[in-house]
């Protein structure tokens, strides 16, 4: 699958597992799968497949 | 033919020039602005041209003031900006700078939301003055905007934004500027707006601490209704504080993105 434009090799992985794998905090991210925003509540159940294009925005503090 | 003198419609003879109208209407004007640009040489006027005559240092009446203030805008821009409705979530380094820029260009309606008061550690990057210390940020920014451009309608809300109140707070605006400090609040607002408010556009920011290169701060269009500004990684943390220049660069990326959206320019 494509994650932020980069090819990654994962099979049957949920969004939550992907975020944990990438060491990202679920409370600081916006996740888009095939241009659709996915709600935080769905991260544990949403299973990604090989064709999916995933975009993860991870916010850092400061403003 | 019709021209606009100090933003008021008047009929003038064909063949009139900028300087001939100065002779008639304001002999002592030393600044002549023709279609948004200060001219030093006379020009022949065309139908629908805009001309502004200003005497340097003269305090205008409130009625004259708005016309004079918008005279540096390209014609046709002001009407759209005046009708725009923008919300700003958070009034720190990003939000206070965005608010001031949007007020200067004459946005018609700005809704500002923050729960905090101005404190001394804000002054290194936020638009407040020493006299504002202890004041609610919403009241301080309201006062500042009134002094910059009294023709902006400002609505303030002194409240902490959470998942439950987001929809109600931003109902009255078309474009939302995410200007929080806290990354969890940033993500919450963006997720909620994109998921539950499909008619709104959000302009968010992430990564503007320190004094890293100016040019790493960029504007990205992530989705049709989602713009993201910043370098994406320079987090405010011990040893890497937030400072006026870079925060203001990011804030004005946000403000210009808002302006571009208002003018129908949806690409970055």
């Amino acid at each position: 699958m494509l994650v932020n434009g980069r090819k990654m090799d994962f099979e049957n992985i949920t969004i939550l597992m992907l975020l944990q794998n990438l060491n990202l905090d679920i409370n600081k991210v916006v996740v888009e799968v095939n241009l659709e925003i996915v709600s935080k509540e769905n991260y544990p159940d949403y299973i990604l497949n090989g064709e999916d294009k995933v975009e993860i925005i991870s916010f850092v503090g400061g403003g | 033919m019709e021209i606009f003198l100090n933003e008021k419609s008047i009929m003038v003879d064909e063949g009139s020039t900028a300087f001939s109208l100065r002779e008639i209407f304001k002999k002592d004007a030393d600044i002549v602005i023709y279609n948004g640009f200060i001219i030093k040489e006379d020009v022949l006027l065309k139908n629908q041209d805009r001309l502004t005559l200003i005497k340097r240092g003269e305090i205008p009446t409130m009625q004259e003031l708005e016309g004079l203030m918008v005279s540096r805008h390209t014609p046709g821009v002001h009407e759209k900006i005046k009708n725009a409705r923008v919300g700003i979530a958070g009034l720190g380094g990003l939000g206070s700078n965005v608010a001031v820029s949007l007020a200067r260009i004459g946005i018609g309606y700005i809704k500002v939301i923050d729960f905090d008061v101005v404190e001394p550690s804000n002054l290194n990057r936020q638009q407040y003055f020493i006299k504002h210390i202890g004041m609610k940020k919403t009241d301080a920014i309201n006062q500042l905007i009134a002094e910059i451009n009294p023709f902006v309608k400002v609505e303030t809300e002194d409240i902490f934004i959470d998942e439950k109140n987001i929809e109600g707070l931003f109902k009255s605006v078309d474009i939302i500027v995410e200007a929080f400090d806290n990354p969890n609040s940033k993500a919450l607002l963006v997720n909620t707006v994109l998921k539950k408010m499909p008619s709104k556009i959000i302009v968010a920011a992430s990564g503007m601490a320190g004094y890293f290169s100016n040019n790493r701060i960029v504007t990205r269009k992530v989705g049709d209704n989602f713009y993201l500004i910043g370098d994406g990684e320079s987090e405010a943390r011990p040893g890497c504080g937030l400072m006026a220049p870079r925060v203001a660069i990011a804030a004005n990326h946000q403000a210009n993105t808002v302006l571009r959206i208002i003018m129908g320019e949806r690409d970055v």
Side-chain angles (χ1 to χ4, degrees):
Chain A
M1 69 185 73
L2 276 178
V3 180
N4 292 356
R6 241 182 278 160
K7 261 201 175 147
M8 288 198 176
D9 230 5
F10 291 115
E11 284 293 322
N12 292 329
I13 188 174
T14 65
I15 291 178
L16 181 63
M17 287 154 71
L18 175 66
L19 292 172
Q20 285 166 345
N21 231 296
L22 297 171
N23 230 341
L24 295 172
D25 181 338
I26 61 163
N27 295 309
K28 297 179 183 172
V29 294
V30 172
V31 179
E32 226 180 48
V33 180
N34 306 325
L35 302 176
E36 281 283 321
I37 297 288
V38 181
S39 298
K40 198 167 77 179
E41 308 86 77
N42 298 330
Y43 293 170
D45 308 319
Y46 195 118
I47 296 166
L48 297 164
N49 68 54
E51 260 88 84
D52 284 334
K53 270 190 184 165
V54 185
E55 184 77 29
I56 304 169
I57 307 291
S58 179
F59 284 96
V60 300
Chain B
M1 63 181 177
E2 181 186 36
I3 71 139
F4 295 87
L5 178 69
N6 290 4
E7 296 299 308
K8 269 202 218 87
S9 162
I10 60 165
M11 300 306 289
V12 300
D13 295 333
E14 295 282 339
S16 295
T17 69
F19 288 2
S20 73
L21 292 190
R22 174 172 64 178
E23 271 312 295
I24 300 167
F25 291 100
K26 200 170 176 63
K27 248 188 173 138
D28 57 356
D30 40 24
I31 300 170
V32 180
I33 302 173
Y34 169 69
N35 289 346
F37 193 77
I38 293 177
I39 53 167
K40 301 288 179 205
E41 276 163 38
D42 205 4
V43 291
L44 188 65
L45 297 172
K46 305 179 302 295
N47 192 35
Q48 302 298 311
D49 274 349
R50 282 164 199 265
L51 190 70
T52 304
L53 303 172
I54 297 176
K55 174 158 174 49
R56 211 182 286 274
E58 187 180 80
I59 306 287
T61 65
M62 280 300 268
Q63 270 172 323
E64 289 171 326
L65 181 63
E66 190 169 22
L68 300 179
M69 285 178 61
V70 304
S71 61
R72 291 303 292 275
H73 290 323
T74 309
V77 173
H78 178 62
E79 292 74 8
K80 285 187 179 162
I81 296 176
K82 182 88 183 159
N83 287 323
R85 305 174 68 82
V86 180
I88 302 175
L91 290 172
L94 292 169
S96 65
N97 277 293
V98 170
V100 165
S101 280
L102 294 183
R104 287 196 188 279
I105 59 172
I107 297 283
Y109 170 84
I110 304 177
K111 181 158 190 177
V112 291
I113 302 160
D114 199 291
F115 66 94
D116 216 349
V117 297
V118 178
E119 33 151 323
S121 70
N122 299 148
L123 299 182
N124 80 327
R125 67 189 188 284
Q126 306 186 15
Q127 284 283 355
Y128 308 106
F129 301 150
I130 290 167
K131 68 172 179 184
H132 292 128
I133 291 171
M135 205 170 167
K136 284 178 186 171
K137 286 186 177 176
T138 47
D139 291 339
I141 207 75
N142 199 4
Q143 194 184 85
L144 277 172
I145 291 174
E147 286 183 38
I148 291 167
N149 186 345
F151 307 101
V152 176
K153 186 176 184 305
V154 180
E155 204 183 322
T156 64
E157 202 94 52
D158 181 40
I159 193 170
F160 186 85
I161 294 181
D162 62 32
E163 201 165 358
K164 288 182 206 92
N165 61 22
I166 288 172
E167 279 177 276
L169 286 170
F170 294 105
K171 204 179 275 175
S172 61
V173 304
D174 303 312
I175 304 170
I176 300 164
V177 176
E178 178 283 304
F180 292 133
D181 187 49
N182 180 306
N184 296 34
S185 301
K186 287 173 180 287
L188 174 69
L189 181 65
V190 173
N191 274 310
T192 307
V193 170
L194 292 176
K195 200 73 198 171
K196 295 187 180 162
M197 306 171 82
S199 67
K200 313 282 182 195
I201 298 171
I202 186 155
V203 181
S206 177
M208 76 295 298
Y211 50 88
F212 302 102
S213 169
N214 308 336
N215 298 334
R216 280 173 54 197
I217 292 177
V218 294
T219 301
R220 270 179 70 197
K221 186 175 181 180
V222 182
D224 281 343
N225 293 337
F226 178 21
Y227 294 82
L228 182 66
I229 279 116
D231 66 19
E233 57 187 36
S234 300
E235 182 163 25
R237 55 181 166 75
C240 184
L242 292 158
M243 282 181 281
R246 227 162 168 258
V247 173
I249 290 171
N252 281 299
H253 267 252
Q254 290 185 291
N256 193 47
T257 299
V258 169
L259 175 57
R260 285 176 57 76
I261 293 165
I262 292 166
M263 295 310 298
E265 301 286 347
R266 297 295 298 269
D267 293 329
V268 298

